Amino acid sequence: VGQQRLIFDGLQYSDWNRGVFEGWREGGIACVHVTTVIWENARETLDEIGKWSRLFRAHDDLIFHARTPEDVANAGSDDRVGVILGFQNASPFEDSLDFVQIFHALGVRVVQLTYNNQNLLGGSCYEDSDSGLSRFGRLVVGEMNRLGMVIDLSHVGDRTALDAISVSERPVAVTHANAKWFRDHPRNKSSEVLAAVAAGGGVVGAAPYPHLTPDGTTLESWAAMVARLVEELGVEHVAIGSDVSENLSNAYLDWIRMGRWTHARDYGAGTSAHPHWAPWPSWFQGPADFVRLLEGLSKVGLSDEDVAAVAGGNWRRFFGEAFAPGDDHATADDLIGRFISVTRDGKTP
Amino acid sequence: VGQQRLIFDGLQYSDWNRGVFEGWREGGIACVHVTTVIWENARETLDEIGKWSRLFRAHDDLIFHARTPEDVANAGSDDRVGVILGFQNASPFEDSLDFVQIFHALGVRVVQLTYNNQNLLGGSCYEDSDSGLSRFGRLVVGEMNRLGMVIDLSHVGDRTALDAISVSERPVAVTHANAKWFRDHPRNKSSEVLAAVAAGGGVVGAAPYPHLTPDGTTLESWAAMVARLVEELGVEHVAIGSDVSENLSNAYLDWIRMGRWTHARDYGAGTSAHPHWAPWPSWFQGPADFVRLLEGLSKVGLSDEDVAAVAGGNWRRFFGEAFAPGDDHATADDLIGRFISVTRDGKTP
């Protein structure tokens, strides 16, 4: 009867294999939210979910599919690591409101509303201009609320993020980003967005990912950033999302950044001077070093209780509540009233 | 050796059959831009193009596929009516810049950047807020310019429309809309957009479609609207886009308006008081009545030459020029420089 492992990682995106899963367990990880797709459409996403169903079968001594509040509550109490399946884009929904329910039924529990480009739902942090949540986007948020699917705002534009927080009747997440005051990067979050996520009961996963931290970031300076977030947002709203990628090539990075939307070089979170996968800092070489992050948080003054909350307690509480189904009694007419603020009827003759 | 027929219709969207094609010829029509898809993805669009290839074979005495400058120049000089294939949405491109070339190769020559909802390219006239042209949207406009594919702005939001006019190196079209000053409706166009289309060398197709005209519009008042457009924009920039739909049921109207994006009632250009296909006015019951529109234009004072330009001469010139291939020598790096105003490189470290 071992102790329950604590650590939840807010996001990883790797070429998955047994070695990765063994690394999780050795790193003391209880549960990981994994990215299954970034640009893929519905058909391609079914392939990825199919691959995960085979991974769950082949490695059932190391991992399990975490999709219920109970799964989240129990993660880390046996040898297996819980895996939460997520999308970094709403692209698998294509143009269909029905597809939200379909992917929920297949066990997907986290969907980032946009990846790096504008989509049918809203605007991205990399676009010049952000529309806010579209008509379809508002309906998708309502459907995700109903089903118990987490709205992730990490790559989402500020205006769409604030719209989503306002429209969502349930708390939302930023699974993997830092504060813009730590590093001024489009992928990091303004204080307004961070405060709104926390005010709505949501959680922000701070990232050691090098493109999202200033050059020369040390464990101490990263931990100090987390400590300041704890102070500003409240300890229950801060967690970790490592943004770790294992076994992905630089060629694969082109897919991640350029998808099919451009034929010219796009550097994503990188730059021409740093076009490739960024080298991880000495103090965080991968999941085995989670424990060092926690030591860093202790050193900058967080209590053991607060370190435990940031390390996993907050994600455990948040995902546990988020995966419970929402109100299933809203009718289509309720939805249209709640989520389409401008109906065509009435506004113009 | 008959006289060449004059009339070009900027847009029709029907359940196509031999009766429709016979009606075109009887109405003296030389060429029609037809809508093949509105919400369909790439796979579904291939089906629709397949259906058109069968229609062209089965009815080759009545219609032909118009896709070159020569096709447009010669349309109406024999018994057949030229058919220009178009999309009312960029949905068939999905997320792929390559798909622009693929659908061009299949003979598609007009693409409306957005239908009624925001998409990957930009914002729609029915959204609360319009992002303007996205990063992907700018690249698609460049690719359409290169290939010789017409950018249609009829359902597009004002900001995205103005961005597209600014980014496009070739004239653009509004195939089917009226002036907002004629009827204040989201689908009708602001004076700013109309002026910009004309200033760029484009053409606006005025519509007798009842949802886009004031209640009680007569042939005289509609013709007077066209005459005022001729005065404001210049006669070479005004044409007709009837927006005629034949053989489409009220049930099909739900698909047109609601697609797969909402499960609640959406009225599109209509209202709860007028939810169905609007009855056409006595003075325009269908393509056979094109000649009456032209009589109306004469009666409000347009010269025979100007009536001929509006009736078809302008579309003939515009499509003829538009279908010629553009500059094929731009490299991917040129494109990124021209169309991505904010590259990730340089802006942030």
Side-chain angles (χ1 to χ4, degrees), chain B residues 1 31 49 71 120 131 154 162 187 198 202 233 259 262 309-310 314 330 348:
Chain B
V1 288
C31 194
I49 293 173
D71 290 339
L120 306 195
S131 56
S154 303
L162 293 169
R187 270 278 283 104
L233 305 179
T262 178
V310 171
N314 290 334
T348 58

Side-chain angles (χ1 to χ4, degrees), chain B residues 12-27:
Chain B
Q12 293 188 22
Y13 182 22
S14 297
D15 190 4
W16 315 104
N17 61 35
R18 189 165 180 88
V20 172
F21 306 146
E22 287 170 340
W24 288 348
R25 192 167 64 183
E26 287 159 18

